C-alpha cells in the first residue's frame, strides 16, 4: 500500500520552485470565452459535487459602488479558482472579473475571462502583477478582484490563518490612490453531508469599505487574517451544529436512481412506523 506523500503541501510557491519565466498576459473579458468557461466550469462542478449552497449573497450589493471590490477566500484545493469564477460571474454578476494565477503559462486562454499571471519567483517578479492591479483594477469600480491572501494552497482548516502581505498592500494602494476599496471575505467548505457526493457551502461575509488605515502593513495583515479566521471558524461551527439557516442552493443535482429508491424505501418505512404507533 502506497504511503501518503509528505509533500502534499509546500510553503514555497510553485513558480519559485520551478524557476520558470512567466510571460505577463493582460486580461480581458471576451463574451465567447465566458460562455465556454460557464459551460465547462459549471459542468465540472456539477459532475463532482452534489450541490453548491450560498449564504448572504446579497452582501455584494452593500458595497460602496464608487470603489472596486476585492473578494478574498481560503485556498485549500484545486477547485477554488473555478468556484470563485462562478460565484463572481453568476451570483455577483460583476461586469469585470479579475484573478491573479500562478503558473498561468499553463492556461493562457484564461486571460480572456479576466485572469492574469503572478510570478512569485521573487519580490521583483511579482511587481508587474501588483502594478497592473494597482493601475488597472483597483481604479475600476466595475471590477471584482478574486485573491487568495494566504499566497499558497494550505491544508483544509489550517490554523492559525496566515496571510501574505499582498492584500494589505493592495488595500493601502487603493486608499492612497483612489480613496478606498471594498473588502468581501468568503468562507468556503467542501464537505460530505447526507449525499453520496460532497457538497460546497459558501458563506459571504459583510462587505467592509476601507477608506483609511490606522495600522502599518504588518499589523493590518495580522488583523485581516485574525478576522478572517474567526469568520471561517464560525462557518465550521455552524456546520458542526447542523445549522444551515440562510443557505440557498446555487445548484443542486437530481438524486441518482439508487438514491431515489433508497428515499422511497425510507418514506415507506417511516409511514408504516407511524401507522403502527397510532
Amino acid at each position: 500500500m502506497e504511503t501518503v506523500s509528505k509533500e502534499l503541501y509546500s510553503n514555497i510557491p510553485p513558480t519559485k520552485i520551478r524557476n520558470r519565466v512567466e510571460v505577463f498576459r493582460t486580461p480581458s473579458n471576451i463574451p465567447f470565452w465566458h460562455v465556454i468557461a460557464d459551460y465547462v466550469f459549471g459542468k465540472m462542478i456539477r459532475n463532482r459535487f452534489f450541490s453548491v449552497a450560498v449564504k448572504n449573497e446579497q452582501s455584494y450589493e452593500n458595497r460602496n459602488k464608487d470603489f472596486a471590490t476585492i473578494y478574498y477566500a481560503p485556498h485549500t484545493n484545486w477547485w477554488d479558482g473555478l468556484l470563485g469564477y462562478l460565484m463572481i460571474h453568476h451570483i455577483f454578476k460583476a461586469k469585470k472579473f479579475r484573478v491573479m494565477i500562478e503558473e498561468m503559462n499553463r492556461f493562457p486562454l484564461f486571460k480572456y475571462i479576466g485572469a492574469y499571471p503572478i510570478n512569485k519567483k521573487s519580490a521583483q517578479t511579482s511587481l508587474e502583477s501588483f502594478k497592473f492591479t494597482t493601475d488597472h483594477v483597483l481604479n475600476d469600480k466595475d471590477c471584482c478582484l478574486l485573491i487568495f491572501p494566504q499566497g499558497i494552497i494550505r491544508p483544509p482548516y489550517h490554523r492559525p490563518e496566515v496571510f501574505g502581505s499582498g492584500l494589505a498592500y493592495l488595500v493601502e494602494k487603493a486608499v492612497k490612490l483612489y480613496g478606498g476599496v471594498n473588502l468581501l471575505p468568503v468562507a468556503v467548505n467542501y464537505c460530505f453531508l447526507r449525499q453520496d457526493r460532497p457538497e460546497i457551502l459558501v458563506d459571504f461575509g459583510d462587505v467592509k469599505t476601507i477608506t483609511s488605515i490606522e495600522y502599518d502593513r504588518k499589523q493590518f495583515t495580522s488583523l485581516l487574517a485574525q478576522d478572517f479566521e474567526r469568520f471561517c471558524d464560525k462557518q465550521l461551527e455552524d456546520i458542526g451544529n447542523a445549522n444551515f439557516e440562510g443557505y440557498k442552493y446555487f445548484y443542486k443535482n437530481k438524486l441518482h436512481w439508487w438514491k431515489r429508491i433508497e428515499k422511497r424505501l425510507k418514506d415507506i418505512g417511516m409511514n408504516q412506523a407511524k401507522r403502527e404507533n397510532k
Side-chain angles (χ1 to χ4, degrees):
M1 187 177 294
E2 184 180 358
T3 58
V4 177
S5 171
K6 295 180 180 179
E7 299 179 357
L8 283 173
Y9 300 93
S10 172
N11 290 322
I12 304 174
T15 48
K16 194 168 186 177
I17 293 173
R18 290 175 176 81
N19 196 29
R20 293 177 182 172
V21 176
E22 289 277 322
V23 177
F24 187 83
R25 291 177 166 84
T26 303
S28 58
N29 292 100
I30 306 298
F32 171 78
W33 289 107
H34 277 292
V35 171
I36 298 297
D38 291 349
Y39 175 77
V40 174
F41 295 168
K43 190 172 182 61
M44 291 170 69
I45 292 281
R46 287 192 295 273
N47 284 343
R48 298 297 183 183
F49 298 93
F50 179 77
S51 71
V52 177
V54 300
K55 178 180 178 180
N56 198 29
E57 71 279 6
Q58 71 278 2
S59 176
Y60 181 65
E61 293 303 317
N62 298 328
R63 73 193 187 283
N64 186 320
K65 296 177 176 61
D66 292 330
F67 303 133
T69 301
I70 299 177
Y71 161 113
Y72 59 104
H75 197 10
T76 62
N77 65 74
W78 184 86
W79 293 100
D80 293 328
L82 276 64
L83 179 68
Y85 168 85
L86 292 172
M87 295 296 99
I88 292 177
H89 200 237
H90 287 279
I91 292 182
F92 294 167
K93 301 188 185 302
K95 294 180 180 178
K96 292 182 182 178
F97 167 77
R98 294 288 182 265
V99 59
M100 286 188 277
I101 298 179
E102 272 201 86
E103 299 185 291
M104 194 176 142
N105 279 351
R106 297 165 57 192
F107 312 101
L109 292 178
F110 282 8
K111 78 172 188 175
Y112 298 121
I113 59 170
Y116 56 103
I118 179 167
N119 189 345
K120 298 179 181 177
K121 193 164 55 173
S122 68
Q124 183 122 12
T125 56
S126 300
L127 191 59
E128 186 173 13
S129 297
F130 280 103
K131 188 175 187 311
F132 177 86
T133 306
T134 300
D135 294 344
H136 302 286
V137 178
L138 298 181
N139 68 337
D140 189 339
K141 63 183 181 181
D142 292 329
C143 264
C144 192
L145 171 67
L146 167 63
I147 69 169
F148 303 109
Q150 295 89 344
I152 55 175
I153 292 181
R154 297 279 189 188
Y157 322 123
H158 180 274
R159 295 293 182 269
E161 192 68 74
V162 179
F163 282 7
S165 61
L167 178 57
Y169 172 85
L170 293 175
V171 173
E172 287 176 1
K173 287 291 186 181
V175 169
K176 181 179 179 180
L177 297 175
Y178 311 116
V181 68
N182 300 300
L183 293 183
L184 201 164
V186 185
V188 182
N189 204 285
Y190 304 81
C191 55
F192 279 94
L193 298 178
R194 296 297 303 275
Q195 301 301 329
D196 56 345
R197 279 183 287 171
E199 304 185 49
I200 306 175
L201 298 175
V202 183
D203 187 356
F204 299 105
D206 296 328
V207 171
K208 296 178 182 178
T209 301
I210 309 295
T211 56
S212 63
I213 301 174
E214 302 174 357
Y215 309 96
D216 62 37
R217 189 178 302 167
K218 185 175 181 180
Q219 289 176 310
F220 188 44
T221 297
S222 179
L223 288 171
L224 286 170
Q226 291 171 21
D227 186 57
F228 188 67
E229 181 178 314
R230 286 191 291 270
F231 175 53
C232 291
D233 285 348
K234 178 61 169 63
Q235 186 197 39
L236 283 174
E237 181 183 348
D238 286 343
I239 293 171
N241 291 323
N243 177 12
F244 303 108
E245 183 179 355
Y247 282 100
K248 302 174 185 176
Y249 285 114
F250 171 65
Y251 97 86
K252 180 182 179 182
N253 269 317
K254 293 181 179 179
L255 293 174
H256 287 301
W257 64 267
W258 64 84
K259 294 292 288 184
R260 292 199 296 270
I261 292 175
E262 179 188 32
K263 184 176 185 303
R264 180 62 178 159
L265 291 174
K266 285 182 177 179
D267 290 342
I268 293 172
M270 291 292 289
N271 292 332
Q272 184 176 354
K274 288 178 181 178
R275 287 194 297 269
E276 293 174 352
N277 290 331
K278 285 183 179 180

